[in-house]
């Protein structure tokens, strides 16, 4: 897979390193000469150019890319890169970094964004995920399809603990994509038994999140709150 990353700062270089380790081709684009640090990611291609200019994106052969990641520290730049990538070059997958949470509403399909990653929101979500059991936590928003990646840790008193995945009447427009149990990552086949403490990751429509949270946090009969 060929991936172009606009923004060769710490975030862009870190993403590039991970993708290269997984065997992908990576092109890093940045207009600041000081950001072109080839020795830090020697296996990547580098381009000193303004990713907001068509001539630069032509030189980058963006039409050959499977994914474009707009990872600069400027939301305006990330939006322009996303829009050009999608409308001018038909890039199948565009991922954009959101620096200011107040700008999240702009990062949608209209601007060519398939997945918007808000660093502040993600950090707060990870904090919530670490301390919350039984509460739904939004991790990522997918612009196309109007869906979120959400996580919920199954509480000990949940009625679904001990139930097979295939026996659960999941809400419409929700898909259980994986189960994290301790150090294991499980494929949620129909015969897998849900256990208290399981971290469940779903792709779900926002309108179904409340229903999903209610389903997963329902207490067993006979279990009462302490206090």
């Amino acid at each position: 897979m060929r991936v172009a990353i606009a923004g060769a700062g710490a975030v862009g270089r870190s993403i590039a390193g991970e993708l290269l380790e997984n065997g992908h081709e990576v092109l890093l684009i940045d207009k600041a000469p000081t950001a072109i640090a080839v020795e830090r990611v020697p296996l990547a291609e580098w381009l000193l150019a303004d990713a907001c200019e068509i001539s630069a994106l032509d030189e980058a052969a963006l039409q050959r890319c499977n994914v474009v990641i707009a990872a600069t520290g400027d939301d305006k730049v990330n939006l322009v890169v996303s829009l050009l990538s999608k409308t001018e070059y038909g890039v199948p997958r565009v991922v954009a970094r959101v620096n200011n949470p107040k700008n999240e509403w702009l990062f949608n399909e209209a601007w060519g964004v398939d997945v918007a990653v808000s660093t502040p929101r993600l950090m707060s979500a990870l904090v919530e995920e670490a301390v919350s059991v039984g509460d739904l936590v939004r991790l990522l928003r997918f612009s196309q399809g109007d869906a979120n990646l959400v996580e919920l840790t199954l509480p000990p008193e949940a009625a679904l603990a001990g139930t097979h995945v295939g026996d659960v009447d999941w809400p419409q427009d929700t898909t259980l994509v994986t189960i994290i149990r301790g150090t294991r990552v499980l494929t949620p086949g129909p015969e897998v038994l849900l256990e208290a403490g399981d971290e469940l990751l779903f792709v779900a429509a926002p309108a179904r999140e409340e229903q999903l949270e209610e389903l997963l946090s329902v207490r067993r009969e006979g279990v009462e709150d302490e206090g």
Side-chain angles (χ1 to χ4, degrees):
M1 182 171 68
R2 182 172 175 78
V3 182
I5 302 174
V11 173
R13 293 195 305 269
S14 178
I15 296 170
E18 292 283 344
L19 291 172
L20 287 164
E21 286 185 8
N22 291 328
H24 302 296
E25 299 177 39
V26 176
L27 168 65
L28 280 160
I29 308 170
D30 206 297
K31 67 178 182 180
T34 55
I36 306 300
V38 178
E39 70 282 357
R40 295 192 180 184
V41 195
L43 297 180
E45 299 175 46
W46 290 80
L47 178 62
L48 176 61
D50 186 345
C52 291
E53 295 183 357
I54 290 289
S55 59
L57 299 182
D58 284 342
E59 187 177 353
L62 223 64
Q63 68 277 3
R64 293 177 44 225
C65 293
N66 306 99
V67 179
V68 165
I69 301 173
T72 79
D74 188 324
D75 285 346
K76 295 187 295 295
V77 171
N78 291 341
L79 285 170
V80 171
V81 171
S82 299
L83 184 62
L84 292 175
S85 299
K86 185 68 71 174
T87 59
E88 298 295 325
Y89 299 92
V91 176
R93 195 73 165 166
V94 176
V95 180
R97 172 187 176 187
V98 185
N99 297 280
N100 187 338
K102 293 181 180 179
N103 295 329
E104 282 187 33
W105 67 277
L106 287 167
F107 286 73
N108 55 33
E109 187 176 355
W111 278 94
V113 178
D114 296 308
V115 180
V117 182
S118 171
T119 304
R121 182 175 294 278
L122 183 57
M123 290 180 69
S124 64
L126 291 174
V127 170
E128 291 178 25
E129 185 271 333
V131 300
S132 302
V133 175
D135 295 327
L136 184 142
V137 178
R138 297 179 187 86
L139 299 178
L140 287 175
R141 176 175 58 83
F142 299 96
S143 297
Q144 289 190 347
D146 190 26
N148 295 325
L149 177 66
V150 300
E151 183 271 352
L152 188 142
T153 299
L154 204 62
E157 68 276 11
L160 292 185
T163 304
H164 289 101
V165 169
D167 292 335
V168 179
D169 185 18
W170 302 109
Q172 291 183 342
D173 305 320
T174 65
T175 300
L176 176 61
V177 293
T178 195
I179 300 171
I180 301 174
R181 181 175 297 163
T183 59
R184 301 170 60 198
V185 178
L186 307 178
T187 301
E191 298 304 316
V192 173
L193 279 172
L194 297 172
E195 296 183 4
D198 283 350
E199 293 182 49
L200 309 179
L201 271 68
F202 295 86
V203 173
R208 301 294 182 182
E209 290 179 1
E210 184 176 348
Q211 184 179 353
L212 182 62
E213 184 173 23
E214 183 178 346
L215 173 68
L216 293 170
S217 61
V218 170
R219 298 175 180 274
R220 295 193 182 109
E221 292 183 6
V223 176
E224 297 180 357
D225 290 331
E226 296 181 0

